[in-house]
Amino acid sequence: MLGMKELLRAFEHRSPEIIFEWKDSETEARGWVVINSLRGGAAGGGTRMRAGLDRHEVESLSKTMEVKFTVSGPAIGGAKSGIDFDPDDPRKNEVLDRWFKVVTPLLKNYYGTGGDLNIDEIYDVIPLTEEYGLWHPQEGILNGHFKVNESNRIHQIGQLRYGVSKVLEDNTYSPDLKRKYKVADMITGYGVSESIRHYYQLFGNDCIGKRAVIQGWGNVAAAAAFYLSKLGVKIVGIIDRAGGLINRDGFSESDITQLFLTRKGNELHAPDLISFEQMQQEIWGLKSEIFVPAAASRLVSKDQIQQLLDNGLEVIACGANVPFADQEIFYGPVMEFADRRVAVIPDFIANCGMARVFAYLMQRNIEMSDDAIFSDVSKVIFEALKKIRDSSPDCTQLSSRAYEIALKQLV
C-alpha cells in the first residue's frame, strides 16, 4: 500500500487533463482554465483574478479542488480559472466579459465555476455567463456529470440560482437580517466554525470557553468568528492586514457581531485598531486553544505555530487554502510540523462549505430553508471528521489521515 506522501506525490505530479490558455486581445490580461481531470464526466472550481497570478497557481488550485470534492461531493474532477490582471483596474469588467465569452463552451458542457479571489459569484460571474447563454455557471456539471434531461436541468438550475444568492431569513445564521446577507456570504465561515465544534465533539469534549485567534477579517474569517462566538468560544485576538485587536478575556458575542457589521470591504475597522507591526509581535503569544488562519494563502510560519503551541494551542482550522508558508501544493514542512504536534483540520474539510452548497443544490427536490442548507454543510463536515477519528483516535496527524482517505479515492 502506498503511504500518504507517496499518494500525494503521485497526485501532485500527474499532469492536468485540460489546460486552456487565453491572451486578451485588448489588454495585457492572460488567463488559464486548468481541469485537473474529468472524473465523473465533469470538473468544478471558481474563477479568480489577481495581478501576478500564473499557470502554476491555477494548476495547484485545480488539484486542491479535486481533493475538496472527495468531501463535499459531487464525485467530479477539480478545476480552476485564473486571470492575471489587476482587479482594481477600471477595465476589469471588459476583461471578464471577453474571458467568459471564450470559456462558455467549457462551462456549457463539462466545467462548473463560481466566484473566488476578487471575483464575485453573484455580481461578476452570473450576469456575464447568462449573457453568453448559460442558465447557471454550474450548468456544465449538471450536463457532464449528472447528465440530467432538460426538464430536470431547469429544476436543478432553479435551485442553484435561488440557493446561492438566497437572502438569509433565520437570525441563527445572519448577523443582521436587515442587511440581507446571503448564503454565499456566510456559509464558508460557518463550515470553519462547525469543523471546530465537531472536532471537540469527536476528539475532546466541548468548545465552550475555549479561546481563539483569528487571522484575516474577510468573509470567511469574520463569519467563522461570528459563529464561534455564538458557540461560546472567546475570540481573544484578530489580526488583519489593516491591523488588529486583542482582548485577553475574549470579545463578547455582541462585540464580534459589531466588528462583523462595521467591516470596510474585507478589512477590520475599529477606532482602537492596533498597528499590523505591533499585532505581529503580540498575537502569536496570546493564550489560545484555537487558531483560524483565514487570510491569504501561505502566510503562517513555523515560528508562529511554535509560539501558539507554547501558549496552549489545541486545534487549527484552515479557513484559507494552504495557509502555511510552504511551497508544496498541499503538505509541506510547515504544515507537517503543525500536523505532528496539534490537530490541523485541513482546508478541504474546514472550508468546503460553498462547494457543498453547490453539491446540495444539484440534488433533486431538496429543502431550501436556511436551516436545511446550513445543516447539510455541518453534517458533511462532521462525517469527514468522523472518518478520520474512526481511522485513529489520535488528535495529531489528523491532516495526514485526511489526505490519505481522500487520495485513495483519486490515485
Side-chain angles (χ1 to χ4, degrees), residues 13-24:
H13 291 125
R14 189 189 285 161
S15 294
E17 219 169 291
I18 298 169
I19 299 176
F20 174 95
E21 191 162 356
W22 171 78
K23 171 75 188 72
D24 188 24

Side-chain angles (χ1 to χ4, degrees), residues 1 106 153 202 239 273 276 278 299-300 310 331 338 346 355 402:
M1 287 288 284
L106 282 64
R153 191 157 72 239
L202 287 161
I239 182 168
L273 216 58
F276 178 79
Q278 194 183 337
L299 290 180
V300 182
D310 293 342
Y331 194 86

Side-chain angles (χ1 to χ4, degrees), residues 178-198:
K178 291 194 284 295
R179 302 259 188 125
K180 297 191 181 331
Y181 288 103
K182 297 180 170 76
V183 168
D185 297 326
M186 304 300 294
I187 197 74
T188 307
Y190 172 77
V192 173
S193 169
E194 286 294 277
S195 75
I196 293 163
R197 180 171 78 87
H198 293 321

